[in-house]
Structures are given as C-alpha cells and as structure tokens.
Amino acid sequence: MKPTDLHACTVIDIHNHVWAKDGELDRDRAMSLLKAADCLGIDTVCVSLPLMTESPTPEEFRQANDMVFEALEMSDTFRGFCFVNPGYAEESVAELERCIVRHRMVGVKLYHQYRICDPALRPVMDYAAELGVPVLMHAAKLRDSANVARQPRVSHAEHFLKAAHMFPNTTLIQAHIGGGGDWEWNLRVLEAMPASAKYFIDISGSVVDAGIIRKTVATLGADRVLFATDGIMEEGIGKLLEAGLSEEQLQHILSRNAERILF
Amino acid sequence: MIFDINTATGHWPFRRVPNQTIPLLRCLLAERGIGGAAVANTHALFYKNCQDANLELAEAIADDAEFFTGVATLNPLYAAWERDLVTCTEELGLKALRLVPRYHDYGLDAPEAKAILAAATDLNLPVFIPARVVDVRQRHWMDTEQQVSVEEIGRFSLGVPGSRIVITESTVSVPELVNDDGTLKYPGLYFEISRMPSAYGQTIAGLLDAVGADRFLFGSGAPFKEILPSLLKLDTIDCAEDTRRRIAHENARTLLETNTCS
C-alpha cells in the first residue's frame, strides 16, 4: 500500500489531541490538524485534551473537556475522548457520564497522574467497562533520567499486564509504542499478554526505528494494534506502511480494530 | 531525484538495526526512490581512533562512489586529527566531516572543537552534527542521554565565520533561528528535515519562509529509521515545486560539491 492509497481506505487515528491557548481551544491548531488529516488521508481523528499537571482538579478537567466539545462542533472528523483525573473518583465518573453518555464522546483518556494498574482507577475503569468505551493511557518505558524524573508514574507494559488482570472487562489501549522509551522492552513484556485480555496498543509517537511496527505486529498480532499519530503525522503513516504488512493486516490496524472498540 | 543527507553504515551495538552494510543500504534507499546519499560510519562513534572507521568507510563505498558521498568522523581531542582530516579529504575522497561531541566526550565550547571546525572550513568542508543518534528516551544504559541543542551548535558556528554546519536529527523552530528584526541568528546553519513536522502546522514551510529554502535538506536517518516518514514530510510541505527540488537534492549537491570544486 502506498500513502496515496490511504485516501481510498477508512483510516482512524485513535490517539490525537486538541490544545488550549490562553485558556481557550486553540481553534487555529485544531483547524491545522484537520487539514493535515485530510492531506494524509485520515478520516477520523480521536482527540482529547489531557492536562499534564500533578493533579488536575475536576474544574480543570471539565474545562478541558469543554474545549474538546468545541472541537467536535468544528468537524465530524473529530471524535472525543474524555480526560479525567482518577484521583477525583466521584467527579471523574460524573464527568464520564456527562461526556460519553450525554455528549457522545467515544473513549477515556488518562495521563500519568496514576499508573494504569493503580487501585485508585477502579471506579473509572469499571464505569468505562459499563459504558463499553476504551481507556487510552499515556505510556512509555523511559530510560533517560530527565523524563524518568518528569513522569514518575508513567505506565509501561508490566503495568498493563497487571491492569489486564485487575480490570478484565475494560478495554485498555497502551499509548504510543513509538512515543519514546524502550519499545523493545515493552514488546518483550507484552509477549505474556493473555489472548483473552481486552488489550490494544497504538502505534503513535515520534520514534520510527526500523522494524518497530513489524515487531509490534509480530508480538501482538494485527488485531490488537491501532493506527494513531498523537499529532506526529508523517511518522505514524510512514512507519506503518514501511512494516511490510498484508492488506488485511493494514485494514485491521487502520480502522477495523478501532471500529470494533469505538462505535 | 532525492539525495539523502543523513544515512549511516556499520554496526550499532545497542539494538539490531537492519541494512547496515553498504550494499543493503543502497538497495533500501534505491527501492524508495533515493538516488544518492551522504553516509557516515557508525563505528566512528565508538572507536577511540576513529580514523580507522573512516578508512573502513572509504573502502566500503569505493565501488558505489556514484551513489554514496562519504562523511568522515573525527575527534578533535584525539591524536593526529589534523593529519587525518587532510587524509580524509585528499586521499579518501570524503566530502564532509561529522562531529559527535556527546560520543567523543567534549563540549562544542572546547578550543579543540573550534580548531577542527576552523580546519574544516579552511578545506571548504561542511560539518555535520547530529543532535542525537537515537532517541535518548529509549537509550541503552551504556549510551549517552545527552543531546546537542540547536543553540549550542549555533554558538559554535558563530565562532568560525564562514563555517557551514548541517544539524541532523533535530527539531527546530523559527524563534530559535531568527532575530526579532528578521535576520538569522546563525547564518552558517543548515537543517536536515527528518524530525520536523510537515503537514500538521506546516512547520517546515514556516521555516522555509523565515530562514530560506537553501538551508533545508532531505534526510531519513536510514537505516536506524524508516525512510517513508521523511519522504512524506517532503511531499507534504506547502511550497513551490522548485523549492521541493532544492530540499530533495539541489541543496545537498551544492553543499557537498562545493568542496570538490575548490
């Protein structure tokens, strides 16, 4: 498959973002994202607005999700993921109800405020399972001291293995195998992911190491890998199409797997 | 025609990297429509005496001289680099010099670094400096976790007027490169595009407007990295076709052939 062939396929980017500027949705940046998606043949872009502070308050994550609502009004290309801080369990569950039940967002986005296997996540994970929406968790196996210090509670593959046992009814998405960090280590750990686990991994991130997607698919199977860019667009498409996959494998990664868990 | 300014040959000790040999690398590049490439030897990051890596490189590309342009790597803290630089250009036919301060354990503010940049400039040789070789977030425990910043390289370039430095494996922004009055902070810098966003935000297009189209060069980072992402970046720059041609190969040819005409 060539990049131009993507325009004839259904392509879902399951991990992307809109951002705030001066306390409001950065509409110019959102418009630029839409243009880039159109240029590259991406039909659906799932967006969230995660907050990277230590412990965002309910008011802060509600404001962030309001900006996602505004983005959803801009274009049908966007689908929303609801960001919450599970440290505020009751408020998070209420926010999921507001965003997903009432405003038709299609997933939950978590950042590194808590690890994916932290018991504090129980109310959010159980409610996501009840609603039948996936939980996309920021992830990396970081090896450099600066980022390890900056993200002390970032999740990696071992945490997802635990979470798959703790929350067997919740669909888990491990973010960006190419998001920086030791992706080979992650894949070696994920060899032990049970076939029964409701587990997926997305391919986004800036890392385009030779063989990264081929190895990811070889480890987990094409039916557990999701196309995504996390805003790093040419890398997402380029590394997927370089992986030497069959048309059927590509179709699964580009859209069928996402359609199975999103809609 | 596309010329890749950023490729490497040789063994990388921290991860299996396919297509490390010159014949395999040439096949890989040619299959993706790339008609020529600047190539450096990865072994030079690790050999104490990296002139041996330059000798290896010259031998490896001898039969592919119409495709590969050799890039020497030298350590200005090591013995005999002055003689090695002359040997690399006059005897081995290498057309650029790569500096890797994080691997060879010196700062770009060291007098030895300035001396080798001055010597390369006297020979009309462009100097390549990778901001990093691999993403430091995934580094092997024996590998460096330090990158080289655009500002550090920029200051280095100002120390030797007339020097030409190509920064590879780096992102860059307009404010890093342009003063408030629109003049360039670092007139001697050139930039390889493999880590720059293109379609989203038209970052490269914005840089072209602010810095000038003659400053940007296509590069892939092969065989460490997949090539198609960089090709997509080139394709999606919102620019005139003659500008795209300059980035694709004309700027590289100009930069690398200038020294052969001197």
Side-chain angles (χ1 to χ4, degrees):
Chain A
M1 188 181 284
K2 297 175 183 170
T4 48
D5 296 333
L6 292 181
H7 291 275
C9 302
T10 302
V11 181
I12 300 173
D13 179 351
I14 204 156
H15 182 176
N16 215 315
H17 302 288
V18 290
W19 299 104
K21 186 177 181 184
D22 302 327
E24 296 183 350
L25 175 70
D26 187 340
R27 295 180 66 90
D28 290 342
R29 194 166 171 185
M31 190 54 72
S32 177
L33 175 57
L34 288 169
K35 281 184 190 169
D38 184 52
C39 168
L40 293 165
I42 300 171
D43 303 285
T44 298
V45 182
C46 297
V47 293
S48 60
L49 204 166
L51 300 170
M52 296 161 190
T53 50
E54 176 85 10
S55 184
T57 65
E59 185 183 352
E60 288 172 330
F61 61 68
R62 283 193 286 263
Q63 283 174 356
N65 291 323
D66 284 344
M67 286 184 238
V68 176
F69 294 149
E70 192 182 337
L72 300 183
E73 295 290 319
M74 290 174 66
S75 169
D76 291 341
T77 298
F78 286 142
R79 296 285 189 280
F81 270 53
C82 170
F83 169 73
V84 293
N85 174 3
Y88 295 93
E90 192 176 324
E91 293 90 341
S92 290
V93 169
E95 183 66 353
L96 295 188
E97 196 274 336
R98 180 176 83 105
C99 292
I100 293 167
V101 178
R102 285 191 269 154
H103 289 280
R104 299 188 168 213
M105 286 198 189
V106 294
V108 181
K109 168 68 181 176
L110 300 178
Y111 209 62
H112 58 61
Q113 284 85 16
Y114 291 84
R115 287 189 172 132
I116 189 75
C117 56
D118 194 306
L121 268 63
R122 172 73 60 191
V124 166
M125 298 300 251
D126 286 350
Y127 194 46
E130 185 183 326
L131 297 174
V133 296
V135 176
L136 168 62
M137 172 58 102
H138 176 75
K141 176 64 176 174
L142 297 168
R143 294 287 192 192
D144 67 309
S145 53
N147 275 296
V148 167
R150 207 173 291 141
Q151 303 185 43
R153 290 182 295 280
V154 70
S155 301
H156 54 57
E158 284 184 344
H159 303 127
F160 278 86
L161 269 181
K162 285 183 190 170
H165 287 100
M166 290 171 68
F167 312 118
N169 299 317
T170 308
T171 300
L172 309 175
I173 304 173
Q174 181 172 342
H176 37 57
I177 186 64
D182 189 345
W183 57 267
E184 291 182 289
W185 184 93
N186 271 318
L187 292 181
R188 293 312 309 267
V189 171
L190 291 169
E191 290 168 5
M193 182 61 76
S196 59
K198 297 174 81 169
Y199 168 88
F200 295 81
I201 194 163
D202 89 47
I203 69 162
S204 66
S206 61
V207 174
V208 292
D209 286 350
I212 182 172
I213 302 304
R214 190 171 57 252
K215 281 193 174 183
T216 302
V217 172
T219 301
L220 289 159
D223 57 350
R224 287 179 131 168
V225 178
L226 299 164
F227 174 72
T229 69
D230 194 10
I232 304 161
M233 314 284 281
E234 295 85 15
E235 282 82 347
I237 290 170
K239 64 185 166 185
L240 177 61
L241 298 186
E242 287 272 33
L245 303 176
S246 69
E247 289 286 319
E248 177 151 4
Q249 287 174 312
L250 285 172
Q251 295 290 352
H252 274 94
I253 295 167
L254 287 167
S255 62
R256 285 186 202 153
N257 297 335
E259 286 167 344
R260 228 166 71 217
I261 61 175
L262 285 181
F263 310 122
Chain B
M1 168 64 181
I2 298 174
F3 186 92
D4 190 334
I5 200 79
N6 180 23
T7 78
T9 186
H11 178 61
W12 173 250
F14 303 130
R15 181 174 73 81
R16 182 173 177 269
V17 175
N19 302 302
Q20 297 176 348
T21 66
I22 285 295
L24 290 172
L25 180 62
R26 179 172 179 161
C27 280
L28 180 74
L29 295 165
E31 281 171 4
R32 282 145 185 83
I34 293 168
V39 62
N41 190 349
T42 300
H43 299 171
L45 304 176
F46 305 104
Y47 290 176
K48 286 182 292 182
N49 174 24
C50 47
Q51 181 66 353
D52 278 345
N54 297 324
L55 294 167
E56 287 176 358
L57 176 67
E59 186 179 343
I61 64 174
D63 293 336
D64 292 285
E66 84 292 353
F67 191 93
F68 284 112
T69 300
V71 179
T73 306
L74 288 170
N75 179 353
L77 298 190
Y78 205 72
W81 68 260
E82 295 96 333
R83 289 198 302 278
D84 290 342
L85 184 61
V86 172
T87 302
C88 285
T89 54
E90 294 186 358
E91 294 179 26
L92 303 183
L94 307 182
K95 304 273 177 73
L97 169 68
R98 180 176 63 164
L99 298 178
V100 283
R102 296 295 182 260
Y103 285 86
H104 290 164
D105 199 22
Y106 61 89
L108 290 178
D109 55 355
E112 294 89 347
K114 184 173 181 178
I116 199 169
L117 179 60
T121 302
D122 284 347
L123 292 167
N124 212 11
L125 212 59
V127 172
F128 294 6
I129 302 181
R132 68 187 197 191
V133 174
V134 296
D135 190 322
V136 298
R137 294 172 297 178
Q138 60 171 288
R139 76 183 189 97
H140 187 280
W141 41 92
M142 292 178 69
D143 198 1
T144 182
E145 65 173 14
Q146 301 298 318
Q147 303 186 66
V148 192
S149 72
V150 171
E151 186 190 5
E152 185 179 359
I153 299 170
R155 277 189 274 111
F156 181 51
S157 74
L158 295 177
V160 179
S163 61
R164 295 169 300 151
I165 299 180
V166 181
I167 305 181
T168 61
E169 297 293 336
S170 181
T171 56
V172 70
S173 66
V174 171
E176 284 179 287
L177 303 180
V178 180
N179 294 308
D180 290 342
D181 63 2
T183 57
L184 296 182
K185 291 180 180 176
Y186 313 114
L189 294 190
Y190 296 74
F191 308 92
E192 176 266 309
I193 67 166
S194 69
R195 288 190 57 216
M196 299 178 185
S198 186
Y200 185 15
Q202 284 297 331
T203 302
I204 298 175
L207 287 160
L208 293 173
D209 286 343
V211 181
D214 57 336
R215 300 288 161 163
F216 293 86
L217 307 118
F218 174 84
S220 70
F224 288 94
K225 302 195 297 186
E226 305 283 18
I227 296 169
L228 188 52
S230 284
L231 292 171
L232 281 169
K233 289 170 192 291
L234 182 65
D235 284 346
T236 55
I237 302 170
D238 186 7
C239 67
E241 284 311 305
D242 71 309
T243 301
R244 202 179 320 279
R245 273 198 304 277
R246 290 165 77 178
I247 299 167
H249 67 98
E250 290 174 3
N251 291 342
R253 293 291 190 200
T254 302
L255 195 71
L256 291 165
E257 287 179 0
T258 301
N259 69 84
T260 61
C261 301
S262 62

